[in-house]
Amino acid sequence: MSQTPDHPPLDTVRSVSDLRARIALWRREGLRVALVPTMGALHDGHLTLVRRARDLADRVVASVFVNPAQFGPNEDFARYPRDEAGDAAKLASAGCDLLFAPDVAAMYPPGFATAVEVEALSRRWEGEFRPGHFRGVATVVTKLLLQALPDVACFGEKDYQQLQVIRRLVADLDIPVRIEGVPTVREADGLALSSRNAYLTSAQRAVAAALNRTLRSVVARLAAEPGAVAETESRARAALLEAGFDAVDYLAVVDAASLEPLLRLDRPARVICTARLGTTRLLDNMDVPVPA
Ligand code: PAF
């Protein structure tokens, strides 16, 4: 539990049975419940999710769980930033009512053997660079939704493919929850807030702003030339390398729901990108309006 001068300590539960007991009390009072799943290391993007959740429900539960199942063997699970006390204080200040902070054994007890796989949507883009990642995300999000059974759950649009995977699994598995996508929160220079921005050196941080700038230029160019998708994508990849990125894992204009690549701008679309600075992968995406 943690405390700031202005807020009482945030109630914290660690077991599914305690979580359900707390939510059952609210349900008996007829209150609506929102869930904000996180992996902690909270920044203003997460707190915006909590504030949106507050608008949509009477009580807000946030989960903090660094989910081992969504990290590959060579990824940053061990060094992923963890600060439960700091997170609890931030959550309290944003209006969260309850923190669910299970340990790995509570989420994946001995004998755990089930996984949720959202097939087509998980295969491309992040799925290609992080095999098994969306299986881990889909499994833990399904568990969290079934544990809390909230009316609404809030997720950031920054992880756009993740958001689409979650929408799909909720529809396919008939989980009775509204999924609310919340717009990305950005630094003044456009960089999307992310817990992994903490890994950037100051030189890398200066380069990082080119990611959002480049995506904005893709949107502007396609507004003028909706047929020039392939050429716009390849110019944008080159611009990122020119700006100092070490690699572009992908940059693509895709169907906003299926995430299949588009050749021309003839339906709701999104430009999605992951580019690398050293070992840090930065993700961003933007809505690409369809010209009238
Ligand atoms: O976006 C995240 O922080 C995580 O992928 C999530 C949704 C909390 C699942 O672990």
Side-chain angles (χ1 to χ4, degrees):
M1 297 233 263
S2 178
Q3 195 160 6
T4 67
D6 302 336
H7 299 279
L10 183 61
D11 275 349
T12 302
V13 290
R14 299 188 188 278
S15 70
V16 176
S17 55
D18 285 349
L19 173 71
R20 288 195 170 135
R22 292 298 305 271
I23 291 175
L25 291 176
W26 293 334
R27 291 292 186 201
R28 254 174 253 149
E29 293 176 54
L31 300 175
R32 283 175 59 78
V33 177
L35 175 69
V36 179
T38 82
M39 295 205 303
L42 302 181
H43 49 65
D44 201 45
H46 298 107
L47 303 185
T48 301
L49 301 180
V50 173
R51 289 189 279 264
R52 181 69 185 133
R54 272 241 75 95
D55 291 342
L56 298 172
D58 305 300
R59 294 288 180 270
V60 178
V61 183
S63 61
V64 169
F65 178 63
V66 185
N67 173 33
Q70 69 187 76
F71 290 79
N74 300 317
E75 293 186 352
D76 55 345
F77 175 69
R79 70 172 178 136
Y80 198 83
R82 289 164 171 86
D83 174 17
E84 187 183 307
D87 289 342
K90 289 177 193 165
L91 289 168
S93 72
C96 179
D97 299 288
L98 181 67
L99 169 60
F100 177 45
D103 64 15
V104 173
M107 289 300 271
Y108 301 115
F112 185 89
T114 301
V116 177
E117 187 105 47
V118 180
E119 297 217 322
L121 267 171
S122 300
R123 216 168 289 134
R124 281 185 195 272
W125 316 124
E126 283 304 287
E128 204 177 314
F129 287 88
R130 304 186 69 188
H133 170 66
F134 285 121
R135 179 185 162 107
V137 170
T139 303
V140 82
V141 170
T142 302
K143 282 176 67 73
L144 290 165
L145 293 175
L146 295 177
Q147 289 162 348
L149 288 174
D151 297 285
V152 56
C154 297
F155 296 88
E157 284 184 351
K158 173 174 168 285
D159 294 302
Y160 189 78
Q161 187 173 7
Q162 166 174 285
L163 179 61
Q164 297 314 112
V165 165
I166 292 166
R167 289 192 194 287
R168 185 77 260 160
L169 78 85
V170 161
D172 290 354
L173 299 178
D174 304 309
I175 302 178
V177 61
R178 163 176 164 188
I179 298 300
E180 178 76 0
V182 179
T184 303
V185 180
R186 298 179 182 282
E187 304 278 8
D189 64 2
L191 178 66
L193 296 196
S194 163
S195 308
R196 289 186 170 107
N197 292 351
Y199 299 153
L200 299 174
T201 64
S202 56
Q204 291 172 331
R205 174 63 190 82
V207 173
L211 178 51
N212 182 248
R213 206 165 52 235
T214 303
L215 296 192
R216 280 190 275 120
S217 75
V218 168
V219 172
R221 173 115 201 275
L222 290 176
E225 282 186 75
V229 170
E231 192 205 324
T232 305
E233 288 170 343
S234 77
R235 279 198 198 181
R237 285 183 208 111
L240 287 170
L241 297 173
E242 178 79 10
F245 275 90
D246 297 303
V248 180
D249 286 353
Y250 56 85
L251 182 149
V253 177
V254 298
D255 179 292
S258 71
L259 306 189
E260 291 299 315
L262 291 182
L263 295 176
R264 57 173 298 110
L265 202 55
D266 56 2
R267 69 191 89 158
R270 203 95 191 170
V271 55
I272 58 172
C273 180
T274 293
R276 292 182 195 238
L277 282 168
T279 54
T280 305
R281 301 176 72 247
L282 296 183
L283 283 72
D284 204 350
N285 68 85
M286 286 186 78
D287 177 46
V288 186
V290 186

